[in-house]
Amino acid sequence: MLCLGIESTAHTFGCSIIESSGSDSMLRGRIVSDSRDVYKPPQGSGIHPRDASRHHCQISDKVFRNSLTAAKLSIKDIDVISYSAGPGLGPCLRVGAVIARTLAAFHDKPLVPVNHAVGHVELGAMLTGAGDPLVLLVSGGHTMILAFSEHRWRIFGETLDITIGQLLDQFGRHIGFSSPCGDRIEQLASQSSGDYQSLPYVVKGNDVSFSGLLTAAIRAVSDQGNELACGDVSYSLQETAFSMITEAVERALSFTSKRQFLVVGGVAANKRLAGMLKTACKRQSSKFYLCPAEFAGDNGAQIAWVGMLQYMATRKNIEIEEALVYQSWRIDEVEVAWNR
Ligand code: AMP
Ligand code: MG
């Protein structure tokens, strides 16, 4: 079976093809091709949904064709088409949904809407082999601690305001980078003198809050106003935010007694965060799994894999009129149909 997945929730437009093998109850996946293009807003600005959707429209044909060419396949070879139906930015989501509907209707293929957060989690589990992990999803759109129970991914803890990706990107924009810029902050922090400046640390139960931390970090660089300050504040920002997340994760590991822990989402690429989480796992005797950096951020393979799992489990083809998008679609609203 071959499933084409189309991702377009925010900055990334991606198309990927996954091939499945094995039985329905023990499905295995292989990424045959993965093509994507990331919208870059002007320096100092965040993602403008209309501009990002325009980017997706302009490059969609190229990305789609690249995914087929790299896989040496034609659209006729594809068995199932899936698209990210939410959560995300409305104008961006609609580009992927329209393309998926058109391909499915014209070529008479089954169509599967996919929850983007489930995509992050399930692709991470597939690529690492984690079977029953506690999951940390850290990205531009999410900061959540998740555990699977009774047919759903349940939220054990989450951010009460902005996500960790928004924290890093908004701070980065303030010091002159273009979004997304978590990797630039990581670089700055690693080159700093390591002079920790105290910043607000807010953990409430299993939840975290980053908005006060962002305000204080912006104020700290504005007050000091030199390049050295940018490095030290980036370092302090990372240390504070990542310690908050690690505290919440360690408590969740202790509470749930999960023996596996998986990190997914674009911020999973950060080596300092991974290091802190790995140490917490050691303390809790849990095995640490990290989604490969190449597939940690948004991509079509996440959508193709969940589209495949969903279709193989239900053989359900939704009508074109039902193929909608949902800007706020929480992961715990999704009833998981496949074996897990
Ligand atoms: P996603 O929404 O999953 O595509 O993830 C995008 C987010 O990951 C953005 O907020 C990026 O700034 C962030 N990100 C990417 N690489 C890194 C990194 N090395 N360190 C921290 N954040 C990162
Ligand atoms: Mg994402």
Side-chain angles (χ1 to χ4, degrees):
M1 272 281 209
L2 291 163
C3 180
L4 166 73
I6 302 174
E7 159 59 29
S8 73
T9 52
H11 44 67
T12 301
F13 184 86
C15 291
S16 175
I17 297 165
I18 284 203
E19 184 178 34
S20 67
S21 59
S23 63
D24 283 10
S25 58
M26 266 296 288
L27 209 61
R28 281 188 299 275
R30 182 176 73 88
I31 301 170
V32 185
S33 72
D34 175 62
S35 175
R36 53 183 114 150
D37 196 299
V38 178
Y39 158 77
K40 276 259 176 198
Q43 191 170 348
S45 311
I47 300 177
H48 191 298
R50 196 190 51 221
D51 291 346
S53 70
R54 209 169 275 156
H55 160 269
H56 295 354
C57 288
Q58 279 163 1
I59 49 78
S60 57
D61 185 51
K62 186 186 87 190
V63 171
F64 168 63
R65 283 178 200 284
N66 282 349
S67 69
L68 287 173
T69 310
K72 298 192 177 64
L73 293 168
S74 112
I75 186 69
K76 292 196 173 60
D77 302 316
I78 302 295
D79 300 296
V80 182
I81 292 172
S82 57
Y83 69 98
S84 49
L89 306 170
C92 298
L93 286 169
R94 281 190 281 278
V95 176
V98 166
I99 294 169
R101 277 185 220 131
T102 309
L103 288 171
F106 190 78
H107 296 282
D108 195 21
K109 309 277 181 194
L111 181 59
V112 183
V114 168
N115 178 286
H116 173 85
V118 175
H120 270 294
V121 174
E122 292 291 355
L123 185 75
M126 187 268 263
L127 292 175
T128 59
D132 179 28
L134 184 83
V135 181
L136 173 68
L137 168 53
V138 272
S139 67
H142 293 87
T143 301
M144 280 180 173
I145 300 169
L146 303 154
F148 191 80
S149 172
E150 301 286 326
H151 311 290
R152 277 164 206 255
W153 283 102
R154 312 277 168 177
I155 301 168
F156 203 87
E158 63 183 323
T159 178
L160 297 171
D161 40 51
I162 57 174
T163 66
I164 180 77
Q166 287 167 335
L167 169 72
L168 296 169
D169 291 343
Q170 287 189 37
F171 177 73
R173 293 204 296 273
H174 184 79
I175 59 173
F177 296 136
S178 300
S179 254
C181 44
D183 54 343
R184 304 293 298 274
I185 309 274
E186 177 174 25
Q187 208 179 349
L188 258 188
S190 69
Q191 291 161 356
S192 88
S193 65
D195 179 13
Y196 181 76
Q197 306 185 6
S198 184
L199 292 169
Y201 180 104
V202 186
V203 179
K204 297 184 179 180
N206 295 317
D207 297 326
V208 292
S209 159
F210 294 125
S211 58
L213 173 56
L214 174 64
T215 308
I218 288 176
R219 194 173 298 145
V221 278
S222 306
D223 287 352
Q224 296 165 61
N226 58 42
E227 253 179 53
L228 204 62
C230 289
D232 285 342
V233 177
S234 296
Y235 167 78
S236 307
L237 179 75
Q238 278 202 166
E239 292 300 300
T240 310
F242 296 167
S243 302
M244 287 162 54
I245 290 175
T246 306
E247 180 193 324
V249 162
E250 189 160 1
R251 189 175 302 116
L253 277 175
S254 166
F255 188 86
T256 59
S257 302
K258 292 276 184 198
R259 296 278 75 97
Q260 298 182 333
F261 172 68
L262 167 68
V263 195
V264 297
V267 185
N270 190 291
K271 294 196 175 53
R272 177 62 180 143
L273 175 63
M276 281 192 192
L277 292 166
K278 208 171 182 177
T279 308
C281 281
K282 212 175 252 173
R283 281 195 293 264
Q284 297 301 321
S285 309
S286 292
K287 190 160 180 209
F288 178 77
Y289 295 88
L290 181 65
C291 185
E294 191 191 350
F295 291 102
D298 296 352
N299 64 77
Q302 301 165 338
I303 308 307
W305 179 231
V306 175
M308 177 79 83
L309 288 169
Q310 174 78 15
Y311 185 71
M312 295 298 270
T314 61
R315 304 280 166 170
K316 198 171 157 215
N317 169 29
I318 67 156
E319 297 300 325
I320 297 295
E321 305 80 59
E322 292 173 55
L324 305 173
V325 298
Y326 311 93
Q327 291 185 65
S328 314
W329 186 15
R330 278 168 72 82
I331 191 169
D332 55 1
E333 291 169 32
V334 179
E335 179 94 16
V336 169
W338 54 93
N339 251 353
R340 112 151 334 281

